[in-house]
């Protein structure tokens, strides 16, 4: 006898969502379309989050049996397997953007066959208070990569460098406060989702 289908709305903190992806608890079903967002759409997602706007809910499905999935999210390959797997049905573009931008490049395996890492290297300009891309190897000290914001040790290192490179206590303090505010927004940000449990393909 087949298990009945249940639907449950809930919320998840962004940092917990990223951890679930990294640990293989969230998979991309084989029938999901390719990632198609451009840099403008990716920036707009983070603009909305910074302003406290909702970015829409995600739709997850935990079927009775597992099926084929794609092992790539953003520019990264997700190797890890989990016994507690659910699949993203709606929100794949947002999910890929969040993980691709906020995952640390040194802590995740890059998809060398089709690397789009540069497309996901989004920065925040602390002086102009805007999200931006940088194609330069030597970024100014007030330009922070977003993946640093949710990595405590990297963030503290960035703040130390900022203090060394920016002359003037007032400017230092202003930039540091802006960086800390952005950290708080991302760490505390909650995303609504709907879990569908049961049924099959």
């Amino acid at each position: 006898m087949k298990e009945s289908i249940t639907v449950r709305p809930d919320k998840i903190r962004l940092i917990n969502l990223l951890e679930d992806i990294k640990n293989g608890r969230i998979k991309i079903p084989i029938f999901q379309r390719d990632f198609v967002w451009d840099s403008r759409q990716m920036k707009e997602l983070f603009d909305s989050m910074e302003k406290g706007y909702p970015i829409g809910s995600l739709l997850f499905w935990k079927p009775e049996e597992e099926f084929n999935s794609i092992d790539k999210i953003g520019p990264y390959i997700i190797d890890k397997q989990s016994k507690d797997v659910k699949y993203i049905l709606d929100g794949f573009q947002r999910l890929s953007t969040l993980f691709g931008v906020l995952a640390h490049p040194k802590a995740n395996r890059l998809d060398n066959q089709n690397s789009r890492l540069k497309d996901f290297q989004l920065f925040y300009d602390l002086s102009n208070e805007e999200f931006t891309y940088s194609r330069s190897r030597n970024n100014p000290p007030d330009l922070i990569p977003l993946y640093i914001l949710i990595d405590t040790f990297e963030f503290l290192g960035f703040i130390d460098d900022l203090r060394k490179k920016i002359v003037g206590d007032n400017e230092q303090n202003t930039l540091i406060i802006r960086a800390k505010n952005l950290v708080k927004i991302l760490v505390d940000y909650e995303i609504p989702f709907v879990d569908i449990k049961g049924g099959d393909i």
Side-chain angles (χ1 to χ4, degrees):
M1 183 175 176
K2 287 193 174 183
E3 184 182 341
S4 62
I5 295 175
T6 60
V7 179
R8 181 180 62 92
D10 206 340
K11 289 189 292 186
I12 186 170
R13 291 178 75 198
L14 174 60
I15 54 172
N16 295 334
L17 177 68
L18 299 176
E19 195 65 25
D20 282 350
I21 296 169
K22 183 169 182 170
N23 290 330
R25 288 192 286 270
I26 295 174
K27 294 286 189 186
I28 310 301
I30 198 75
F31 53 78
Q32 187 65 260
R33 67 178 178 147
D34 291 338
F35 183 79
V36 296
W37 271 18
D38 58 28
S39 58
R40 177 188 55 83
Q41 291 168 301
M42 293 167 74
K43 282 200 295 186
E44 285 176 354
L45 179 70
F46 283 94
D47 279 331
S48 295
M49 293 170 69
E50 183 192 20
K51 292 178 173 70
Y53 298 158
I55 60 170
S57 60
L58 304 173
L59 180 62
F60 295 118
W61 177 38
K62 187 172 183 179
E64 293 175 12
E65 295 180 7
E66 289 186 33
F67 53 89
N68 289 339
S69 60
I70 302 167
D71 64 352
K72 298 168 190 168
I73 299 181
Y76 300 111
I77 293 175
I78 307 298
D79 290 321
K80 293 188 178 176
Q81 300 296 320
S82 172
K83 292 180 181 178
D84 186 25
V85 173
K86 53 187 178 182
Y87 301 88
I88 179 77
L89 294 185
D90 187 42
F92 172 61
Q93 305 296 318
R94 285 167 285 156
L95 198 73
S96 296
T97 298
L98 292 170
F99 189 78
V101 169
L102 296 173
H104 199 300
K106 292 180 181 175
N108 293 276
R109 190 155 74 95
L110 198 60
D111 173 18
N112 291 319
Q113 297 291 330
N114 186 25
S115 178
R116 294 182 58 191
L117 183 60
K118 285 186 178 178
D119 296 336
F120 289 88
Q121 289 185 322
L122 190 57
F123 292 77
Y124 188 75
D125 184 330
L126 293 168
S127 294
N128 296 314
E129 297 184 89
E130 63 183 9
F131 295 98
T132 186
Y133 286 89
S134 171
R135 302 300 180 197
S136 170
R137 288 189 176 186
N138 298 313
N139 292 316
D142 58 348
L143 207 61
I144 183 169
L146 292 198
Y147 66 81
I148 283 179
L149 294 168
I150 59 170
D151 184 316
T152 303
F153 292 110
E154 289 267 7
F155 180 71
L156 292 174
F158 175 86
I159 295 300
D160 284 343
D161 284 344
L162 193 65
R163 286 194 173 106
K164 292 172 189 171
K165 295 174 182 175
I166 298 290
V167 179
D169 289 344
N170 286 343
E171 186 179 2
Q172 278 182 16
N173 290 336
T174 298
L175 298 181
I176 290 169
I177 287 169
R178 287 174 183 171
K180 286 181 177 178
N181 287 341
L182 193 56
V183 167
K184 182 168 173 38
I185 288 168
L186 291 179
V187 168
D188 292 341
Y189 197 87
E190 290 187 323
I191 300 175
F193 70 90
V194 175
D195 256 344
I196 299 174
K197 186 177 180 183
D200 56 39
I201 193 72

